[in-house]
Amino acid sequence: MLKRRVIALSLILSLLSLPIAAQNGSGDMLSRIRKEAMEHSQIMKTMHMFTDLYGPRLTGSPNHKAAAEWAVKQMTAWGLENAHLEPWDFRHPGWLNERLTAHLISPVKDPLVCEVLAWTPSTKGTVQANAYHLVLPDRVTQDQLKIFFNNYKTKVRGKIVLIGKPASLPVNLNPPAKRLTDEQAEQRYGPNARPFAFPTPSPTPTPEVNAPKPLTNRQVNEQLDAFLKENGALVRVNDAGREFRQIRAFNNQTFDVNRVVPTVVMSNEDFGRIARILNDGTDVVLEFNIVNHVYPEGSTSYNTVAEIPGTDKADEVIMLGGHLDSWHAATGATDNAIGCAIMMEAARILKTLGVKPRRTIRVALWSGEEQGLLGSQAYVKEHFGSFESQKPGYEKFGGYFNIDSGTGRVRGAGVFGPPEAANILREILEPFKNDGVVGAVTTRSRRLGGSDNTSFNEAGLPGIGMGQDPIEYGTHTWHTNLDTYERILEDDVKKDAMVVAWSVYQLAMRDDLLPRFAKGDMPAKPEEISAQPATPPVRTDAQTPAKTTKPRGNTRKSRG
């Protein structure tokens, strides 16, 4: 009898020590997911459509809506259900750059590398004029800026105006590695992960007593735009301030094309060259032809949604997604067509394998992320509410997986919730240890920023940010004119879809939802927290809530 008891106890202990895949009999499902992901992937086909056919996908643009409509049709063809577009109020018109040519005409002839600033107007046909270099004073007060503008208003009329000193970019002799070391991944996502420290902001000079307060950069920029328009400047030219002809072109802060002059962001190399020639006392003649189009109907934007319906727990939902919108300097491959392609692929894998999840699995491809997580915020507010103002679906929500850090392999995850939530995710991710996946960590931050998982965190819901190897994301592709299809690592993203598919499947099949903070332990809303440093952190997993502040073909080009 004693011997039988010892054997029985040994069996129980051995079962308890088995990984999740063995305990719930889903080891076969794991191997099937791996096989489908690696041998029958549709990711690169999806990437081709999102980037080559529909990129760039600026929020409110016809390109974005066409990409969203294609995703609805594709997910329906794969067998997902209830695929549709959900409108939300963007409050700004759509905008699209249709043509740009930029040339140095004199004293030498050469094409220039530029991108148009979004939500700015067209030129009146081809404009050719002398360049003028306008350098504003630093930390200027309102009175000082008024005097400065008065002194220079006659000098910008009829000119193409270069703004500011060219950035000085020293050669980087120690570029960052493209992959995290195992030690770095453990420090971020392992069981003894180091807490993330927000960067210390640069000290602000102490003003003299009773001294006028300097204007903010935004205030200066808005007044500069008004000054250039009122005084007849033809084109504004900003320095990209990045190496190797990289350009990040964002948007006119007002979204009103009538309040600014045509504006481009020029490569640092071309901007510096022109500035140096002007500094010699030599006249420089430039030529631009810019054609932009405004779409009033773009004030309504869309999130893209599709589902695999659940069974006995169908009213509970597990979500996965990424943002489909992009900036316009390239085709938005690593930011973030690839995140959407990975999530669509994860859902395709599960549907192809005939999975009957207990909970509903819902894919969401957001818009408005680049303008401030607007689409995901609208969705969370509409469907779930917040901890302080809950809607009926709030308690039925089981987690949202997000990818938005480029093409690198997944190394870990961060979840908003108590330590028990990370423990569960850590077990789920254990089968991928040999693929470089380390584990999971938690965050208590409801601070909004970085990517769409924080829209869920802010509401007190379990947003799950998947952390990845950086590859070229922060150094080359993020928001730049280099962000194209060619930058995708196919093997990495296939494995990412495999990891996500398995993780979503596990959360959809568990008896219980992920643990959440108890009512009395829920972190305070952001406005109730003392001020945080203004400089955002650079990681995008859930442990750290914000990104850093985000040439088609041949870089020596004149697009037309």
Side-chain angles (χ1 to χ4, degrees):
M1 179 66 73
L2 179 60
K3 184 176 181 181
R4 289 180 181 176
R5 288 180 178 175
V6 171
I7 293 172
L9 182 60
S10 298
L11 286 171
I12 292 171
L13 291 173
S14 63
L15 284 171
L16 289 174
S17 66
L18 287 173
I20 284 178
Q23 287 183 44
N24 62 16
S26 59
D28 179 58
M29 178 57 70
L30 176 58
S31 63
R32 292 173 65 202
I33 287 174
R34 189 180 290 272
K35 180 178 176 66
E36 180 66 27
M38 300 309 294
E39 296 181 12
H40 305 290
S41 175
Q42 298 296 304
I43 284 184
M44 299 311 288
K45 164 93 180 286
T46 302
M47 283 300 300
H48 164 60
M49 299 301 292
F50 281 158
T51 59
D52 298 337
L53 270 294
Y54 299 119
R57 303 169 306 280
L58 196 65
T59 298
S61 70
N63 292 27
H64 170 264
K65 189 177 182 186
E69 290 171 339
W70 176 83
V72 165
K73 293 177 182 177
Q74 184 60 69
M75 288 190 284
T76 300
W78 287 340
L80 276 70
E81 299 182 24
N82 193 28
H84 63 282
L85 301 184
E86 290 199 13
W88 60 274
D89 188 6
F90 180 42
R91 301 183 181 181
H92 305 295
W95 179 94
L96 193 66
N97 170 235
E98 297 178 355
R99 181 180 178 86
L100 165 64
T101 61
H103 290 86
L104 175 59
I105 301 300
S106 173
V108 293
K109 297 185 183 299
D110 208 5
L112 301 170
V113 179
C114 301
E115 296 290 345
V116 179
L117 196 74
W119 285 279
T120 57
S122 307
T123 55
K124 295 178 180 179
T126 299
V127 295
Q128 189 176 112
N130 279 54
Y132 184 77
H133 193 191
L134 184 69
V135 179
L136 279 70
D138 294 328
R139 293 184 55 76
V140 66
T141 66
Q142 183 61 66
D143 287 343
Q144 291 169 337
L145 187 61
K146 184 177 179 180
I147 293 170
F148 177 86
F149 283 158
N150 190 59
N151 291 337
Y152 285 90
K153 62 184 180 181
T154 60
K155 298 182 180 181
V156 300
R157 183 170 298 278
K159 301 294 197 307
I160 294 170
V161 184
L162 279 68
I163 301 298
K165 298 176 183 177
S168 177
L169 303 173
V171 175
N172 186 355
L173 299 178
N174 297 290
K178 290 181 169 55
R179 294 209 185 271
L180 298 177
T181 64
D182 291 342
E183 180 182 5
Q184 289 171 327
E186 283 286 347
Q187 289 172 357
R188 292 191 182 185
Y189 306 110
N192 300 308
R194 297 178 184 176
F196 182 81
F198 282 89
T200 302
S202 301
T204 302
T206 303
E208 297 179 10
V209 178
N210 299 323
K213 186 177 180 180
L215 297 172
T216 65
N217 289 339
R218 184 185 182 97
Q219 290 170 327
V220 171
N221 193 56
E222 287 180 353
Q223 293 187 49
L224 174 59
D225 279 332
F227 164 76
L228 293 174
K229 185 171 178 64
E230 290 168 5
N231 292 285
L234 298 179
V235 178
R236 172 176 171 171
V237 181
N238 298 333
D239 176 19
R242 296 184 64 79
E243 62 185 359
F244 304 130
R245 298 193 181 278
Q246 291 181 29
I247 297 174
R248 287 177 176 164
F250 296 109
N251 62 286
N252 157 27
Q253 296 166 139
T254 70
F255 293 88
D256 184 350
V257 299
N258 297 311
R259 296 176 63 177
V260 296
V261 300
T263 304
V264 300
V265 183
M266 182 178 288
S267 71
N268 176 254
E269 293 83 353
D270 286 341
F271 190 98
R273 177 187 188 185
I274 295 168
R276 290 188 294 272
I277 295 173
L278 288 171
N279 193 51
D280 291 339
T282 302
D283 288 344
V284 173
V285 177
L286 304 177
E287 179 184 277
F288 286 91
N289 186 1
I290 302 169
V291 179
N292 301 324
H293 195 94
V294 173
Y295 296 87
E297 65 273 21
S299 61
T300 297
S301 191
Y302 302 89
N303 295 320
T304 310
V305 180
E307 295 178 339
I308 301 175
T311 52
D312 62 308
K313 293 179 177 289
D315 59 338
E316 298 179 356
V317 178
I318 308 298
M319 292 187 67
L320 63 161
H323 70 90
L324 185 56
D325 67 301
S326 74
W327 286 111
H328 57 289
T331 56
T334 67
D335 190 19
N336 184 37
I338 191 56
C340 294
I342 288 169
M343 298 317 203
M344 286 175 62
E345 175 71 1
R348 184 200 68 80
I349 290 168
L350 296 177
K351 188 63 183 177
T352 299
L353 297 180
V355 165
K356 303 293 183 185
R358 301 181 69 187
R359 296 180 178 86
T360 295
I361 295 171
R362 185 178 298 161
V363 180
L365 313 179
W366 315 110
S367 60
E369 192 272 354
E370 298 294 5
Q371 289 72 43
L373 316 182
L374 302 181
S376 58
Q377 285 189 76
Y379 185 90
V380 171
K381 182 178 181 180
E382 174 68 22
H383 290 268
F384 305 116
S386 67
F387 176 76
E388 292 75 19
S389 181
Q390 299 179 15
K391 291 196 171 183
Y394 190 87
E395 290 298 333
K396 300 289 186 179
F397 182 76
Y400 165 72
F401 290 87
N402 190 76
I403 281 191
D404 186 18
S405 297
T407 187
R409 61 182 177 176
V410 167
R411 304 303 301 275
V415 58
F416 177 80
E420 295 82 4
N423 293 341
I424 290 168
L425 286 175
R426 194 175 297 119
E427 281 191 80
I428 289 172
L429 294 170
E430 176 66 25
F432 304 102
K433 189 172 183 178
N434 290 338
D435 296 301
V437 183
V438 170
V441 294
T442 60
T443 179
R444 293 181 57 86
S445 174
R446 292 176 67 183
R447 185 181 184 185
L448 188 69
S451 195
D452 295 292
N453 52 298
T454 67
S455 293
F456 292 84
N457 297 6
E458 185 191 44
L461 294 167
I464 304 166
M466 307 301 280
Q468 299 166 265
D469 279 330
I471 310 301
E472 301 167 326
Y473 191 64
T475 57
H476 292 79
T477 65
W478 179 47
H479 295 168
T480 77
N481 54 337
L482 305 184
D483 191 11
T484 62
Y485 177 98
E486 288 75 15
R487 304 274 63 79
I488 301 302
L489 296 179
E490 185 173 355
D491 188 68
D492 278 28
V493 298
K494 285 180 179 179
K495 290 177 179 176
D496 292 347
M498 172 180 69
V499 171
V500 172
W502 171 254
S503 301
V504 168
Y505 171 76
Q506 287 294 323
L507 289 194
M509 299 300 286
R510 297 181 75 250
D511 288 336
D512 300 315
L513 293 169
L514 272 180
R516 297 191 192 178
F517 289 114
K519 185 175 181 180
D521 195 37
M522 175 63 70
K525 291 177 67 175
E527 58 265 30
E528 297 171 0
I529 300 173
S530 59
Q532 297 289 339
T535 304
V538 298
R539 285 161 49 193
T540 60
D541 52 82
Q543 188 184 11
T544 55
K547 291 185 193 178
T548 52
T549 304
K550 230 170 151 144
R552 262 187 283 267
N554 191 330
T555 59
R556 296 292 294 172
K557 55 92 177 173
S558 175
R559 192 171 71 232

